[in-house]
Amino acid sequence: QQQVKQSPQSLIVQKGGISIINCAYENTAFDYFPWYQQFPGKGPALLIAIRPDVSEKKEGRFTISFNKSAKQFSLHIMDSQPGDSATYFCAASADYKLSFGAGTTVTVRA
Amino acid sequence: DTGVSQNPRHKITKRGQNVTFRCDPISEHNRLYWYRQTLGQGPEFLTYFQNEAQLEKSRLLSDRFSAERPKGSFSTLEIQRTEQGDSAMYLCASSPPAGAEQYFGPGTRLTVT
């Protein structure tokens, strides 16, 4: 049973556009919510993370929005670039173990 | 490079053989994790260590799997009597003391024929 549900499975965005990926969870013990970027054949790379006491966090072109009451969080990639084409995973942690979503493949068209 | 390193990067083995993977965490990171990732899925937690102590094992980790972290430095993951269902990417990650962030290595791709 997947503890973190991620959508959409894939998305295509034009260069300069905004990519939005959504995740939902049920376990209220989760206290840390990171996003990872993964290229084919590589390990996941930590992009940005948030704690549940914060509603939004921005780092460069990447923003996490967090809604604790709805148990949902999302990643916004602003000004999407072809180099952003990758698979993105949301995750949630309780007691140091990460539970990952199924991933979203983002394709940025030039 | 001071990131997490894993060896080998690729391993092809015949069903029934034993395999061992190694992970070297980032220096001074006291927690080390193993995950498994199959094609098209997110990584799944297998086990983790704090220093040399193995603190938790997933139900995914059958009796054929064993992990060690002697002296709290590098870690090894051994799979005995491999099965075709063991084919996956095995990922290692490490965390600093008092930090929740996990940094992943490049993974070891296992193919069981």
Side-chain angles (χ1 to χ4, degrees), chain A residues 1-109:
Chain A
Q1 181 184 0
Q2 198 145 39
Q3 294 200 59
V4 181
K5 295 192 189 315
Q6 182 171 348
S7 63
Q9 188 175 1
S10 64
L11 68 89
I12 298 173
V13 63
Q14 293 296 317
K15 181 182 174 182
I18 302 173
S19 303
I20 302 174
I21 306 169
N22 301 298
C23 285
Y25 65 97
E26 287 298 324
N27 186 351
T28 54
F30 288 144
D31 60 1
Y32 173 72
F33 301 85
W35 285 88
Y36 285 85
Q37 178 189 58
Q38 187 174 31
F39 294 103
K42 307 290 186 186
L46 180 62
L47 264 182
I48 185 172
I50 199 167
R51 293 276 188 185
D53 53 346
V54 176
S55 61
E56 186 174 283
K57 183 174 181 180
K58 182 176 180 179
E59 287 184 2
R61 295 185 294 108
F62 300 93
T63 300
I64 300 179
S65 297
F66 189 87
N67 186 329
K68 187 175 179 179
S69 60
K71 291 186 280 190
Q72 295 175 347
F73 58 112
S74 61
L75 177 71
H76 294 227
I77 307 173
M78 314 299 284
D79 187 26
S80 295
Q81 299 297 312
D84 297 333
S85 296
T87 300
Y88 293 82
F89 292 96
C90 62
S93 173
D95 297 329
Y96 302 118
K97 297 172 298 182
L98 285 174
S99 296
F100 283 82
T104 298
T105 300
V106 174
T107 302
V108 182
R109 296 237 192 268

Side-chain angles (χ1 to χ4, degrees), chain B residues 60-81:
Chain B
L60 291 175
L61 217 62
S62 76
D63 291 345
R64 297 184 297 107
F65 287 70
S66 62
E68 293 182 344
R69 193 183 182 197
K71 302 177 185 177
S73 55
F74 71 92
S75 176
T76 57
L77 178 68
E78 181 183 17
I79 309 174
Q80 296 183 326
R81 305 181 303 282

Side-chain angles (χ1 to χ4, degrees), chain B residues 11 13 16 22 32 35 40-42 47 60 70 91 103 105 108 113:
Chain B
K11 179 72 177 178
T13 191
R22 176 178 170 128
L32 185 150
Y35 291 83
Q41 299 297 317
T47 188
L60 291 175
L91 294 162
Y103 299 96
T108 294
T113 62

